[in-house]
Amino acid sequence: MSEVRTTCPYCGVGCGLVAQRGPEGLALRGDAAHPANAGRLCGKGQALGDTLGLQERLLYPTLHGERVGWEAALDAVAAGLRDTAARHGPDAVGFYVSGQLLTEDYYVANKLMKGFIGSANIDTNSRLCMAAAVAGQTRAFGEDVVPVSYRDVEQAELVLIVGSNLAWCHPVVHQRLLQARAERGGGPEVWVIDPRRTATVEEADGHLALRPDSDAVLFNGLLVYLHAHGHLDARYIAAHTRDFEHALAAAREEAPDVAAVAAATGLGTDQVIDFYRRFARTRRTVTLYSQGINQSARGADRVNAIINCHLATGRLGRAGAGPFSITGQPNAMGGREVGGLATQLAGHRDFSPAARAEVQRLWRAPRVAERPGLKAVDLFEAVADGRVRALWIMGTNPLVSMPDTARVRRALRACPLVVVSEVSRRSEALRYAHVALPALAWGEKDGTVTNSERCISRQRAFLPAPGEARPDWWALARVGQRLGYHDAFPYTRPAQIFREHARLSGAPGRLFDIRPFARLSDADYEQLAPTRWPLSTGGAPFAQGQFPTADGRARFVPVATDAPARLPLHSTEVVLNTGRTRDHWHTLTRTALCARLSAHQLEPRMSVHPDDAARGRLAEGDLARLCGPAGSVVARVAVADAVPPGTVFLPMHWSAPWGNVGAVNAAVAAVVDPVSGQPALKHARVRLERVAARWHGFALATEPLVFPDGVYWAASRLRAGYRYELAGTAAEGAWEAFAQALVAPHTDQRWLSYRDAQGERWVCLERGRVRLVLCVDARWDVLPARAWLAQQLGAPVAPEAALRLLGAAAGDARWQGALVCACAGVHAGAIAQALQAGACDLAALAARTGAGGACGTCRGELVRLLRSHARAEEGAAALDAAAVAPV
Ligand code: SF4
């Protein structure tokens, strides 16, 4: 029985896990000793064991699509980079890396690019999620430092959650917050500031559903209010900050009074005043924010509008207070530490002559990039127009995650050399790769990551390297050696790289200082316990009011906003807001392997407000298209008043391998924040159009299916195969031919069909087992329940029983509804039954169904179901009362 301590590969919470190998196989559990989670895991973390299969893995290097050995592949990469730099200059080379990389991978990529190729054209997909926070923190504090820890969230009296669906995106921090509130009997108070009514709102104490992109006005107005009502910390401002008057003047321009704030945000004046008073009287306030703030055309300014309010009241550097940018990816923070963004040098340095000289000396590099490189959107633009002619993509799929994906596709198609280091052979980027390099995945790779609260943890291997997969740092170092830099890239194990990385930290005046780790032995590195920096202050920055600026003072940043989403919309236009679903992660390369995680949302659902649905003649289950300036995406409509009028929400995860609907970012123009270069992925103006589907349907199959052109399909995993949600705009007519074309003929194959007023169903039995089920109808809402049919897939069925199965599907199959609790496998149908039977709170629901009793991520949905049931009951009672009232 052996145990390996590691960290979760998903979100920036950075939960610790223990992998235990025993006679029963591999078991994973939360690490009770890890400070981030103390044993908790969310549904995604709990299901990690289901995602470790090798069926989707890229296992061998290829060159122009042909399998080759590593030597040939790396020779080709090195020759391509050398020739490109020699002919067109070092800036013709680009690296596009990922917050999924380990710090050691990131470090070697950054060193190779900035020190030895000699360009800073290395950027990371972290640019897409937190570059605005980096820019905002650097402007205010002098360094990219998150001043808050998870403990502060628990110790606060008021937690403002701004532009973050914390319950789904950082579930364990959300659970820690709710537990602290429960244990302390009423505190901390939790307020959500978000245009959407998310799952986080369901368990909050208050919700400010402000207009999209109006957060900066709200916080500018807060600064004005705090000043006008004497709630500033004048001593703190005088002793520890600069430029307050400039920030106040800018805030007054835009938000002179509460009425102006109410007009701009769409909130009531009483709501605004109540919020301002609440902030003013609560000294221990944490303002936690993420993509809703960052992914905006003025993301950095919005970050600074928040930070300004904390600086003006001294609400940071003390327990339970501070602005908290919570990161999306597991190692976005580690990437920032090594200088993985095009705008940084290693160890939180900038491109000043002194910093460049220091890095060059420590690296013994022939040169160091002279200026910041191209940020992500600019990098792909440079690829498209031929300025960048060799691009190495590592651990990310820009064809899904970047805005204006058509342009990214054109860029990759035109690029003379595309190298892709990948784990999944399904990544679309591989279609454009001249060289494909198989990377190690989570469980196989070994190194460190830094989570949202600056805690460095080990990610350790507990599985053998499959096929010919190798660590990314290894491939990078071998290329560095081939370029002639043997001494600079001598690495044989990650501990060497980590020590070197630690040696580069502690630049003059920087808080990021982990130099004691430069003395770790290999054995120490192996045993390294989770450690929060700065090491010198026990992990609490700014406690003395000292900031890493030239004069030790923080800076107020004047903030003015005129974000495009606030402009008037045409009648068919809406603002597209993109984000995550509860149980999926990024581009589905891992979570889509797990049937349990795939059951929560089976296809991308476009949330449309009832007013917009009525205007666009859209009903629940219809298909709709969102058209941006350069592309479009199709998805199934979910009519929901959780989104405000004039906006739609669509998850970011789906793309070609899991459907033909297109990536949502196809419809998002490449508009970026001018300060940080972060794309405005949450505020795209798009046209909303109804897609006139002639039929709807679904297929369940034991093997993957291929559909004819023109059929909408979105796939998800089942335990025994695949499920496809379908629709078509053309009348198919011959369903028999349609169905039979989906599976290869077999000698022992039998087809059964059933037709009634509601539609057609076809079952294919192969060797006595259910191979395929196809159900189609003119209407989406009358299709049979899927879950019961899915259970028959792959099971032996006598032909007569199959006929009954076909006939019974619509009427007898018990409606299960969507999966609500992934941990206990509880569907909406079971919840509805429990509510009908009298369950009236979370505890009663948990007792009757088991839902919500484990990781807690579904509790927001349970609260929503409880509330809507209570409303329905009240409505029925009111109707009854009206019926018996005397006329
Ligand atoms: Fe993993 Fe984040 Fe869930 Fe923790 S909260 S288990 S880090 S996905």
Side-chain angles (χ1 to χ4, degrees), residues 12 60 87 185 190 212 220 251 258 305 361 447-448 512 531 545 558 607 710 717 744 760 778 782 802 850 861:
Y60 306 99
R87 283 185 194 201
V190 181
N220 267 345
V258 166
R361 178 176 58 78
T448 54
F512 174 62
T531 308
S607 302
R717 285 273 180 171
E760 297 205 22
V782 297
E861 284 154 289

Side-chain angles (χ1 to χ4, degrees), residues 8 10-11 13-15 41-42 44-45 170-172:
C8 176
Y10 293 124
C11 81
V13 177
C15 295
L41 291 176
C42 74
K44 288 192 288 288
H170 301 91
V172 164

Side-chain angles (χ1 to χ4, degrees), residues 284-503:
R284 292 212 307 268
T285 299
V286 166
T287 306
L288 185 153
Y289 60 94
S290 65
Q291 281 24 324
I293 289 293
N294 298 338
Q295 289 179 334
S296 151
R298 292 298 179 99
D301 279 353
R302 296 166 80 188
V303 169
N304 284 112
I306 292 171
I307 293 175
N308 284 346
C309 294
H310 280 266
L311 284 174
T313 53
R315 281 170 170 74
L316 80 171
R318 62 178 71 221
F324 188 8
S325 155
I326 191 159
T327 52
Q329 297 199 77
N331 199 29
M333 189 79 88
R336 288 144 69 172
E337 290 160 6
V338 305
L341 290 162
T343 39
Q344 308 169 321
L345 280 184
H348 281 191
R349 291 174 177 84
D350 57 18
F351 284 81
S352 68
R356 288 181 52 242
E358 193 182 16
V359 170
Q360 185 171 2
R361 178 176 58 78
L362 290 164
W363 277 346
R364 297 197 192 117
R367 63 184 82 84
V368 161
E370 293 172 4
R371 56 188 174 280
L374 296 165
K375 299 169 191 145
V377 168
D378 298 336
L379 178 63
F380 281 92
E381 194 170 307
V383 175
D385 66 24
R387 281 175 289 145
V388 169
R389 303 177 62 82
L391 183 68
W392 191 343
I393 299 170
M394 276 171 240
T396 182
N397 186 356
L399 290 155
V400 183
S401 51
M402 287 285 291
D404 194 354
T405 50
R407 190 172 61 157
V408 175
R409 188 166 282 111
R410 280 197 304 277
L412 294 186
R413 205 178 282 135
C415 187
L417 175 62
V418 178
V419 181
V420 176
S421 295
E422 247 305 334
V423 160
S424 169
R425 63 182 168 81
R426 287 229 195 198
S427 170
E428 281 183 279
L430 285 170
R431 285 197 209 156
Y432 302 90
H434 302 102
V435 186
L437 304 175
L440 292 183
W442 181 79
E444 301 151 9
K445 58 185 182 179
D446 194 62
T448 54
V449 292
T450 308
N451 72 4
S452 290
E453 60 166 356
R454 294 170 275 102
C455 183
I456 297 171
S457 295
R458 290 278 281 111
Q459 207 180 87
R460 295 181 175 90
F462 56 88
L463 295 169
E468 294 180 11
R470 296 282 182 277
D472 288 313
W473 62 259
W474 178 89
L476 286 154
R478 290 298 181 282
V479 168
Q481 292 173 4
R482 280 167 167 76
L483 293 176
Y485 306 115
H486 285 267
D487 292 348
F489 297 94
Y491 315 118
T492 56
R493 52 199 186 280
Q496 297 167 311
I497 303 168
F498 185 74
R499 285 191 287 264
E500 189 178 309
H501 161 55
R503 241 187 329 271

Side-chain angles (χ1 to χ4, degrees), residues 486-537:
H486 285 267
D487 292 348
F489 297 94
Y491 315 118
T492 56
R493 52 199 186 280
Q496 297 167 311
I497 303 168
F498 185 74
R499 285 191 287 264
E500 189 178 309
H501 161 55
R503 241 187 329 271
L504 253 73
S505 70
R510 303 288 87 177
L511 263 68
F512 174 62
D513 184 356
I514 56 168
R515 281 175 293 177
F517 288 158
R519 296 188 294 275
L520 291 182
S521 67
D522 285 5
D524 294 337
Y525 176 77
E526 194 44 53
Q527 297 302 321
L528 184 64
T531 308
R532 188 139 28 94
W533 63 263
L535 307 183
S536 55
T537 59

